[in-house]
Amino acid sequence: MGSKARVVLYAESEPAAAAAATRAFERIAELDGVMSDYRHDSELSRLSGAPAGEWFGVSDDLLRVLSRAAVVSEASGGAFDATVAPAVALWREARETRRKPDAGSLAAARQRIGWRLVGLDRARRAVRFSVPGVGLDLGGIGKGYAAAEAIGTLRDEGHPAAMVDLGGDLAVGDRPPGAPGWRIRISSTLDDDRDLVLEHVCIATSGDAERSVEIGGVRYSHIIDPRTGVALTRRRAATVIHADGAVADALASAACVVGPSGLGALRRAFPDATVALVAPDDGP
Ligand code: AMP
Ligand code: MG
């Protein structure tokens, strides 16, 4: 998933800690093999080449992530959408060529974007694309899912006091012994750093700073509005706290897309989530 993984846990001995950490890293690697879009042999890459109209059997993990993705897509009015892949590809190219995608390519990409194009059959554990050329990008949801899963692995291994950090997406289990919780510092170039003390939640941060490209004096984010296919140009950073890692991750991306004016609706759709957004370009 293209980021470093950090695992912190409490154990009775160093060998026990090392063994448990290894299990957690193995779980993360397993999920990378499911969701990576850089690896051509990942389950996601194989699914993305599936012909339209045919059901394609998927793993429990992929089905769960796609189900969460569909929930957040619907509730955010498509601000989060894992089918944004064709637009992501165009903007990745733009980062290299330093030229904006042309209107024709964007229009063609938009035809293949829309979470409703992905059918899910939970009973048969299968996925079906309704038009050709649909591509999935789980970059906005996969790390949160994996962090939460790794915490689950550590809990199963007998180490519930743990934290997993996948670079912007974290999951914390039981509080460290003798501490009120895990002290998490949310760093954003858009806002002052803040400290939170948490347990049993997932914390996702999405936003500006990293991975943007400047073309003609305009800075384009790696986050794209799936409804237009256009990369965000306003500086935005969001942090979301939620029990479900995939939902937290996806909501953080969605919050950046909807901006301040869409935040109320997003919060109403997810009353269990804490959603914070910094958006200095949107005015007071
Ligand atoms: P995050 O850092 O969690 O916001 O994820 C950003 C990554 O998710 C991008 O690098 C894209 O691969 C993908 N992505 C970008 N925009 C969206 C979007 N609106 N909905 C879903 N995934 C997106
Ligand atoms: Mg995200």
Side-chain angles (χ1 to χ4, degrees):
M1 283 165 277
S3 64
K4 278 191 183 155
R6 190 162 72 99
V7 172
V8 181
L9 65 102
Y10 287 82
E12 55 291 348
S13 71
E14 188 142 356
T22 299
R23 292 286 101 74
F25 286 123
E26 284 169 356
R27 179 69 178 126
I28 292 164
E30 179 184 22
L31 290 171
D32 193 50
V34 171
M35 297 188 286
S36 169
D37 62 342
Y38 288 98
R39 292 172 52 169
H40 295 294
D41 60 341
S42 71
E43 190 185 355
L44 186 78
S45 297
R46 282 182 280 123
L47 172 63
S48 289
E54 284 175 32
W55 288 101
F56 192 91
V58 294
S59 64
D60 278 336
D61 283 317
L62 193 49
L63 189 73
R64 270 200 291 268
V65 173
L66 293 177
S67 300
R68 305 283 207 290
V71 167
V72 180
S73 294
E74 181 165 22
S76 68
F80 177 87
D81 195 325
T83 64
V84 74
V88 171
L90 290 177
W91 287 97
R92 269 192 194 147
E93 202 179 298
R95 216 175 297 161
E96 269 147 41
T97 61
R98 308 234 142 222
R99 294 163 66 118
K100 274 185 352 181
D102 61 81
S105 315
L106 279 176
R110 268 204 309 274
Q111 297 291 315
R112 301 188 278 138
I113 297 175
W115 59 275
R116 285 192 179 84
L117 302 174
V118 182
L120 296 180
D121 185 333
R122 290 179 178 78
R124 286 165 55 196
R125 278 194 6 202
V127 175
R128 180 175 67 180
F129 301 138
S130 56
V131 302
V134 177
L136 292 166
D137 181 327
L138 299 177
I141 189 169
K143 284 196 290 168
Y145 180 77
E149 283 298 305
I151 282 290
T153 298
L154 292 169
R155 179 176 301 281
D156 293 346
E157 294 282 318
H159 301 283
M163 183 204 68
V164 174
D165 177 5
L166 292 182
D169 293 289
L170 288 92
V172 296
D174 289 4
R175 62 179 76 173
W182 292 90
R183 188 173 296 279
I184 309 289
R185 172 156 297 180
I186 309 294
S187 289
S188 151
T189 50
L190 299 181
D191 197 12
D192 293 338
D193 291 354
R194 338 175 173 190
D195 276 357
L196 302 169
V197 179
L198 300 165
E199 63 177 332
H200 300 144
V201 286
C202 299
I203 308 103
T205 297
S206 190
D208 231 331
E210 10 74 274
R211 291 185 292 154
S212 58
V213 59
E214 195 174 311
I215 303 170
V218 180
R219 216 158 63 95
Y220 294 90
S221 165
H222 69 289
I223 300 172
I224 290 160
D225 187 335
R227 300 162 298 191
T228 60
V230 178
L232 301 190
T233 53
R234 295 180 175 201
R235 288 176 299 158
R236 286 172 183 168
T239 298
V240 174
I241 303 175
H242 193 272
D244 186 295
V247 171
D249 191 353
L251 271 181
S253 312
C256 291
V257 173
V258 301
S261 63
L263 213 53
L266 207 59
R267 286 182 175 136
R268 279 192 297 280
F270 293 90
D272 298 336
T274 302
V275 186
L277 177 72
V278 187
D281 295 339
D282 289 79

